[in-house]
Amino acid sequence: MTFERKVANVFRLTDENWMKHANPISVWTRYSVLPFIVIAFWSRTWIEWWCLVPGLVSVLWMFFNPILFDKPKSTKNWASKAVLGERVYLNRDNIPLPDHHTTALHNILNGISSVGLLLSIWSTIYYSVWGAVFGVMMAYLGKSWFLDRMVWLYEDMKTQNETYRDWEY
């Protein structure tokens, strides 16, 4: 079982829930999570322990966002294809990926996102505005580039697999 499949299980991404998560509104609104978490914990000086409330709401939003929206009217858009590509990627232990999609770039992009996340955390702890801004931007740059690679992966794989092809409507 791939690491990504384990993460998908944590988020309860069944076949139906994957399609809900493919709603572009779900994809774009998940971009709000990290900035809201940073702002929530940044506010600990002003609202003290109450900062945990918006922090917890942000974390809950991250977990429930993928299943809150309806299936998209169409999956013929970048955001939906990015999610479908993630689904293809996590299924790589069952259906192998083409060689040009098995490069280390996916790990590098996830590494960039992770470094950005860690910088955001450090900057929030030490109140570095520019560090927090740069960290969030770095995390989202890595994630967005990764998602763009997932669109490319989905476009390649839907021509080779009928199940994947049926996800596009």
Side-chain angles (χ1 to χ4, degrees):
M1 179 180 286
T2 61
F3 172 74
E4 293 82 5
R5 190 184 321 275
K6 291 176 185 175
V7 172
N9 289 341
V10 169
F11 285 94
R12 291 183 280 178
L13 289 176
T14 61
D15 289 343
E16 180 183 348
N17 288 343
W18 269 108
M19 293 314 290
K20 290 178 177 184
H21 185 36
N23 187 321
I25 298 169
S26 174
V27 174
W28 295 117
T29 57
R30 276 182 67 97
Y31 275 87
S32 68
V33 172
L34 184 56
F36 280 127
I37 289 174
V38 167
I39 290 167
F41 290 104
W42 195 284
S43 68
R44 70 189 182 275
T45 301
W46 308 295
I47 60 176
E48 298 174 349
W49 290 104
W50 288 102
C51 72
L52 295 176
V53 173
L56 180 61
V57 168
S58 298
V59 171
L60 289 173
W61 174 245
M62 176 180 64
F63 277 97
F64 290 111
N65 171 289
I67 60 173
L68 287 178
F69 298 96
D70 292 330
K71 285 176 50 176
K73 293 179 182 169
S74 170
T75 57
K76 294 181 180 182
N77 60 76
W78 184 90
S80 294
K81 290 178 182 181
V83 170
L84 299 176
E86 285 182 302
R87 193 172 176 192
V88 168
Y89 186 68
L90 75 83
N91 196 38
R92 67 189 180 279
D93 56 341
N94 294 324
I95 299 174
L97 304 179
D99 288 340
H100 62 280
H101 287 291
T102 58
T103 66
L105 185 58
H106 297 120
N107 294 331
I108 293 168
L109 295 175
N110 285 327
I112 290 170
S113 293
S114 298
V115 169
L117 177 63
L118 291 173
L119 179 58
S120 298
I121 292 168
W122 181 89
S123 299
T124 301
I125 292 169
Y126 292 102
Y127 293 105
S128 169
V129 173
W130 293 111
V133 169
F134 184 70
V136 169
M137 287 175 47
M138 191 175 176
Y140 285 163
L141 172 69
K143 181 63 174 178
S144 297
W145 193 355
F146 176 80
L147 291 177
D148 195 58
R149 300 274 307 182
M150 294 300 100
V151 172
W152 179 26
L153 173 63
Y154 177 70
E155 289 293 344
D156 282 357
M157 293 298 288
K158 74 179 183 185
T159 62
Q160 301 173 23
N161 184 290
E162 187 175 339
T163 300
Y164 296 162
R165 190 174 320 119
D166 290 343
W167 293 343
E168 188 175 74
Y169 54 89

mmCIF file of all heavy atoms in Angstrom, residues 16 32 42 53-54 114 128 140:
data_model
loop_
_atom_site.group_PDB
_atom_site.id
_atom_site.type_symbol
_atom_site.label_atom_id
_atom_site.label_comp_id
_atom_site.label_asym_id
_atom_site.label_seq_id
_atom_site.Cartn_x
_atom_site.Cartn_y
_atom_site.Cartn_z
ATOM 1 N N GLU A 16 -16.535 7.484 -4.071
ATOM 2 C CA GLU A 16 -17.472 8.611 -4.094
ATOM 3 C C GLU A 16 -16.821 9.887 -3.549
ATOM 4 O O GLU A 16 -16.980 10.976 -4.122
ATOM 5 C CB GLU A 16 -18.718 8.276 -3.268
ATOM 6 C CG GLU A 16 -19.732 9.395 -3.242
ATOM 7 C CD GLU A 16 -20.928 9.082 -2.359
ATOM 8 O OE1 GLU A 16 -21.091 7.922 -1.931
ATOM 9 O OE2 GLU A 16 -21.697 10.027 -2.091
ATOM 10 N N SER A 32 -6.730 27.528 1.471
ATOM 11 C CA SER A 32 -6.911 28.453 2.593
ATOM 12 C C SER A 32 -6.388 27.888 3.915
ATOM 13 O O SER A 32 -6.197 28.646 4.874
ATOM 14 C CB SER A 32 -8.403 28.787 2.745
ATOM 15 O OG SER A 32 -9.138 27.645 3.168
ATOM 16 N N TRP A 42 -0.552 32.619 15.101
ATOM 17 C CA TRP A 42 0.115 33.911 15.237
ATOM 18 C C TRP A 42 -0.623 34.776 16.258
ATOM 19 O O TRP A 42 -0.016 35.557 16.984
ATOM 20 C CB TRP A 42 0.126 34.606 13.878
ATOM 21 C CG TRP A 42 1.080 35.751 13.800
ATOM 22 C CD1 TRP A 42 0.928 36.993 14.333
ATOM 23 C CD2 TRP A 42 2.339 35.746 13.156
ATOM 24 N NE1 TRP A 42 2.004 37.771 14.050
ATOM 25 C CE2 TRP A 42 2.900 37.026 13.315
ATOM 26 C CE3 TRP A 42 3.048 34.791 12.435
ATOM 27 C CZ2 TRP A 42 4.125 37.377 12.799
ATOM 28 C CZ3 TRP A 42 4.264 35.154 11.911
ATOM 29 C CH2 TRP A 42 4.794 36.423 12.099
ATOM 30 N N VAL A 53 -8.978 27.724 18.962
ATOM 31 C CA VAL A 53 -10.296 27.577 18.326
ATOM 32 C C VAL A 53 -10.178 27.749 16.804
ATOM 33 O O VAL A 53 -10.555 26.832 16.055
ATOM 34 C CB VAL A 53 -11.339 28.527 18.953
ATOM 35 C CG1 VAL A 53 -12.649 28.476 18.174
ATOM 36 C CG2 VAL A 53 -11.554 28.182 20.420
ATOM 37 N N PRO A 54 -9.666 28.895 16.299
ATOM 38 C CA PRO A 54 -9.541 28.992 14.837
ATOM 39 C C PRO A 54 -8.531 27.984 14.275
ATOM 40 O O PRO A 54 -8.688 27.517 13.142
ATOM 41 C CB PRO A 54 -9.097 30.430 14.587
ATOM 42 C CG PRO A 54 -8.568 30.922 15.875
ATOM 43 C CD PRO A 54 -9.262 30.144 16.954
ATOM 44 N N SER A 114 7.301 20.530 2.019
ATOM 45 C CA SER A 114 7.583 20.228 3.424
ATOM 46 C C SER A 114 8.499 21.270 4.055
ATOM 47 O O SER A 114 8.271 21.700 5.192
ATOM 48 C CB SER A 114 8.219 18.842 3.555
ATOM 49 O OG SER A 114 7.309 17.863 3.096
ATOM 50 N N SER A 128 8.041 35.704 12.626
ATOM 51 C CA SER A 128 8.735 36.237 11.459
ATOM 52 C C SER A 128 7.722 36.348 10.317
ATOM 53 O O SER A 128 7.363 35.341 9.695
ATOM 54 C CB SER A 128 9.888 35.319 11.043
ATOM 55 O OG SER A 128 10.400 35.701 9.789
ATOM 56 N N TYR A 140 3.118 26.215 -1.068
ATOM 57 C CA TYR A 140 2.124 26.198 -2.144
ATOM 58 C C TYR A 140 2.742 26.109 -3.525
ATOM 59 O O TYR A 140 2.147 25.551 -4.440
ATOM 60 C CB TYR A 140 1.196 27.397 -2.025
ATOM 61 C CG TYR A 140 0.187 27.218 -0.902
ATOM 62 C CD1 TYR A 140 -0.503 28.287 -0.389
ATOM 63 C CD2 TYR A 140 -0.070 25.974 -0.352
ATOM 64 C CE1 TYR A 140 -1.432 28.124 0.634
ATOM 65 C CE2 TYR A 140 -0.989 25.797 0.664
ATOM 66 C CZ TYR A 140 -1.662 26.870 1.147
ATOM 67 O OH TYR A 140 -2.580 26.707 2.152
#
